Amino acid sequence: MGLASTVVATVVARKALTTTWKVATGKKPPVNAAHPDVSVGEAVAWATASGVAVGLARMLASRKAAEYYRKSTGHLPANLEDVEV
């Protein structure tokens, strides 16, 4: 369940970010930020925005999946049981 939720969250985040990029800049986001025809500023902006958006989406999806698991079973998944807060 955790894997599926993070995959879905990643796809949704990328689509939302792509749409936001198009609206904000008026052009498509760079397909390959390492390509020499992409400006350094644009490459850095895209890498930063996409990294933050996808990372946050995956973290939030994982947290929701763990919360649902705990409500369903009464305890956290094994990989989260030993983590101290």
Side-chain angles (χ1 to χ4, degrees), residues 16-30 41-42 45-46 49:
L17 183 60
T18 298
T19 301
T20 303
W21 184 273
K22 286 179 187 177
V23 169
T25 66
K27 56 186 178 179
K28 292 181 181 179
E42 186 178 16
W46 176 251

Side-chain angles (χ1 to χ4, degrees), residues 45-57:
W46 176 251
T48 302
S50 61
V52 168
V54 169
L56 281 173

Side-chain angles (χ1 to χ4, degrees), residues 13 29 58:
R58 291 181 67 194

Side-chain angles (χ1 to χ4, degrees), residues 49-79:
S50 61
V52 168
V54 169
L56 281 173
R58 291 181 67 194
M59 183 267 306
L60 291 171
S62 294
R63 290 176 59 91
K64 285 294 183 185
E67 188 178 301
Y68 177 79
Y69 186 92
R70 180 167 44 192
K71 285 180 181 178
S72 300
T73 65
H75 59 87
L76 288 170
N79 64 327

